[in-house]
Amino acid sequence: MEAAALIILLVVVIGGLLVLSSSIRVVQQFEHGIVFRFGQVQRGGQLRPGAVRAPGLTAIVPVIERMQKVSRQTITMDVPGQDGITQDNVSVRVDAVVYFRVIDPVKAIVNVHNYGYAVSQIAQTSLRSVIGQADMQELLGERAKINAQLRTIIDEITEGPWGIKIERVEIKDVSLPEGMKRSMARQAEAERERRARIITADGEFQASKRLAAAGEIMSQDPAALQLRLLQTVVEVSAEKNSTLVMPLPVEVLRFFDRAVGGARQAADETARQEGKPGLAERLAKAEEELAKAAETHPTLGSPEDVPPVIGLDEPKRDDSASLGAPEAQDDQQRGITGAGSREAPGGEQPPPQR
């Protein structure tokens, strides 16, 4: 009898230990425990007292109550790459990452089945929608704007009904077609070439203004030009070249120009004082005679028929002709030969004897 009582006592103790172990739960610091009593967490439309257990050691009634733990840590979830066409008709593939956490464990358990999978699907559909509403330039250069837009769309769906807070959405990569990449590379290269040419032209423009100012200053003092010339010679000789090219100063050319111009003016003045036509007058008279000769002699039979150019062609004179009559001397001064004084039949001048 005592043995039977001992066995019964042992069974009761073991059963009590099993019931106690099944009723005691440990809720971690990052978790909340949701207790369902007869499958209910709410009563009369309101949350039942004791339905949500705080972190620590807690107990439930075996068989009557059931606890489900919900993590409140921030969950990182990759969004698979989504293919889409942007607003400017460019095919792209975009993938992203979503950071979210549960702020209402009751809604996350009761209102949605597998809230992680639900958030993943919402993120994929929202990403495709945003791709269709944006253009390629926004996807590449304004990612902060796209991220904020994605976060607003997803959080509006999940926070109220599901008790899930979307903390952050980031686009990881935007994949473009190879043809578009080559086109963008050519565009970037052309843009860099344009900027390089503009910078070079701007430098040339600034240098030209500096050179013009320096030339204006040096032109006021001829000694400055000579000093600059000597400085150039020193710079060239410092390179230890075997050949030194010495530029001719501009003042030397101007000296020769003034000398030649003065001699020409003196010759014209002397001829004018002696009653002889100057060079300009002889050239004008020669052109006039050539025009008359072209009108009176449309065709020339031989070289002897070419009339002399008065003022340019000087006849060959011998000693007897130089001592002839005053008429011959007057003709010689006008550039006409002695034989040219005879008149040919018909009133035309015979060709001169050359």
Side-chain angles (χ1 to χ4, degrees), residues 304-327:
E304 287 75 8
D305 296 335
V306 180
V309 179
I310 299 176
L312 295 181
D313 293 337
E314 295 291 340
K316 296 181 180 179
R317 298 177 298 176
D318 51 4
D319 296 335
S320 60
S322 62
L323 300 176
E327 291 83 3

Side-chain angles (χ1 to χ4, degrees), residues 5-55:
L6 184 59
I7 293 173
I8 292 174
L9 181 61
L10 184 60
V11 170
V12 171
V13 172
I14 293 174
L17 292 175
L18 291 176
V19 171
L20 184 62
S21 63
S22 63
S23 63
I24 296 176
R25 295 287 187 272
V26 178
V27 180
Q28 302 293 334
Q29 184 66 42
F30 56 85
E31 294 177 335
H32 275 188
I34 308 301
V35 178
F36 293 88
R37 180 177 295 176
F38 295 110
Q40 293 180 352
V41 72
Q42 294 178 346
R43 181 179 299 174
Q46 295 181 357
L47 190 63
R48 182 178 54 83
V52 179
R53 303 295 174 87

